[in-house]
Amino acid sequence: MRRRRLAGLAAAIGLAPLLAGFSPVPVPSGVAPVSGITAAQAPVPAGKPSAPLGERVRPGQTGGSSDDQPRRGFFGLFGGGRDNAPASTTPATTAAATGGGSADQRALLNAYPGAFRIEGNAVVFPSGTRVPWDDGRRKSAAELLTDGDVEDMFHYPYPAGSSRPPGRDEDPGRVRSDAFFKALYGASEGAVRANLRAVPWVPKLGGGTLLVTTRFGVDEKLEAVSRDLERLPSRFHKYLVPPAGTFNWRAIAGTNRLSVHSYGAAIDINTKFTNYWRWDAQQAGGTIPYRNQIPAEIVAVFEQHCFVWGGRWYHYDTMHFEYRPELLRHCH
């Protein structure tokens, strides 16, 4: 009866031909995940604190000292990185199944699989912590660094493989949400320490061992970086040893924001060949002339394994690399 009424109505308004040929549009199969990856120490000049003595781990040791405009929402997965299996979810509610949200949101979910979901304007962690995706504020370059939200982390596209110096105030990867990283890796020194592992650093070159987080396989990715760097010709080895440190629960120099070193997800290589904007600006009377001594071959190895380079920042820190797979969407 309902079918005859519908056909009669369609005929009355001239839609019968369209109705006869109509078939539902197939639902997309989903968006394929972006690949996510899971010592002796050099002295560091003032302004860039070195890791404390308790973090200097030699080969054979296993650890350090004890004591660190709203967007469309969609659901990701719950869990906690490599060390915690994701909670079960219905396939229809996953990002891969819906293909919803922005490209940046999908990149974030794929970079840290199972760590959180995105609901409307919030990044929601299994603990119940909710971090705003977009706080709705229009920000200056300085405010992006001091008050960045999760969306702001994507403000500057990361130019992997580029040979050009960064533009004025262009800091891709330097913009971070403190609340997001604390929820991701641990909100205290003790919480972060619970997930640290001693990782050999270029052992064939005598690089010693460094403390690195096991969350999201960061420790394994740094080991892969180390193996690839050891294969480079000997002229590159001087840049790698001694390293200047990994884990160090501390604020970024001149700020009250935590460094990614606080989470055991960053490494500084040999300070002897580094340039740091604070040092150079002081010598140049306040301007920031771009300077770098780190070879592109070394940078390429780190970027291949999902570590961004501080040398791609206007406020450069050329010895610094940190794990940021959301910005390197084709790394592995």
Side-chain angles (χ1 to χ4, degrees):
M1 179 65 72
R2 293 180 62 185
R3 183 177 184 86
R4 288 199 297 272
R5 288 178 180 174
L6 180 60
L9 178 61
I13 62 176
L15 294 179
L18 294 177
L19 184 61
F22 173 78
S23 61
V25 177
V27 178
S29 60
V31 178
V34 177
S35 296
I37 313 299
T38 63
Q41 291 184 290
V44 183
K48 178 94 176 179
S50 63
L53 288 174
E55 305 312 326
R56 300 182 184 179
V57 186
R58 305 304 300 174
Q61 291 182 307
T62 58
S65 62
S66 61
D67 135 71
D68 158 11
Q69 349 190 314
R71 306 242 185 161
R72 285 183 296 140
F74 62 102
F75 292 98
L77 302 174
F78 269 136
R82 191 184 75 190
D83 300 321
N84 299 288
S88 61
T89 59
T90 303
T93 66
T94 65
T98 65
S102 69
D104 291 340
Q105 288 176 333
R106 292 195 298 272
L108 194 71
L109 285 163
N110 290 327
Y112 305 101
F116 46 78
R117 67 177 187 263
I118 297 179
E119 292 181 351
N121 193 42
V123 180
V124 185
F125 289 82
S127 64
T129 298
R130 300 176 70 89
V131 179
W133 170 261
D134 178 11
D135 60 18
R137 295 171 51 196
R138 180 175 295 181
K139 299 166 188 170
S140 66
E143 289 170 334
L144 286 170
L145 297 174
T146 58
D147 302 303
D149 57 33
V150 178
E151 183 187 46
D152 292 333
M153 299 194 307
F154 298 91
H155 183 82
Y156 303 104
Y158 186 83
S162 173
S163 59
R164 72 168 181 84
R168 178 63 185 266
D169 290 327
E170 184 180 346
D171 288 327
R174 192 165 177 255
V175 178
R176 312 178 190 93
S177 164
D178 269 6
F180 174 77
F181 278 92
K182 285 180 179 179
L184 194 66
Y185 289 110
S188 69
E189 182 177 358
V192 174
R193 283 184 180 276
N195 292 310
L196 296 179
R197 180 173 78 86
V199 172
W201 176 248
V202 289
K204 294 179 181 179
L205 310 181
T209 310
L210 300 170
L211 291 177
V212 183
T213 184
T214 59
R215 296 280 288 163
F216 314 107
V218 179
D219 57 328
E220 296 173 351
K221 301 316 167 189
L222 192 63
E223 283 186 291
V225 169
S226 174
R227 289 192 296 269
D228 288 351
L229 290 176
E230 284 184 326
R231 299 187 185 106
L232 292 178
S234 59
R235 67 179 181 275
F236 296 104
H237 294 171
K238 65 183 181 181
Y239 301 98
L240 308 174
V241 290
T246 47
F247 170 72
N248 186 5
W249 184 267
R250 63 170 178 82
I252 299 169
T255 78
N256 60 2
R257 294 175 292 115
L258 284 175
S259 164
V260 179
H261 287 283
S262 299
Y263 308 114
I267 181 174
D268 288 341
I269 58 176
N270 194 348
T271 59
K272 183 177 180 180
F273 301 98
T274 196
N275 292 96
Y276 182 48
W277 73 275
R278 286 184 180 274
W279 308 336
D280 293 344
Q282 292 172 356
Q283 296 172 2
T287 60
I288 307 178
Y290 183 79
R291 294 171 180 164
N292 171 54
Q293 303 173 64
I294 305 302
E297 291 86 346
I298 290 176
V299 175
V301 169
F302 274 99
E303 291 180 342
Q304 180 182 8
H305 295 289
C306 301
F307 287 80
V308 301
W309 177 43
R312 298 207 185 278
W313 304 341
Y314 174 74
H315 299 88
Y316 54 85
D317 183 359
T318 66
M319 66 179 166
H320 180 85
F321 296 86
E322 64 184 69
Y323 184 72
R324 298 292 298 280
E326 71 275 20
L327 300 179
L328 288 160
R329 301 180 190 185
H330 300 290
C331 62
H332 60 270

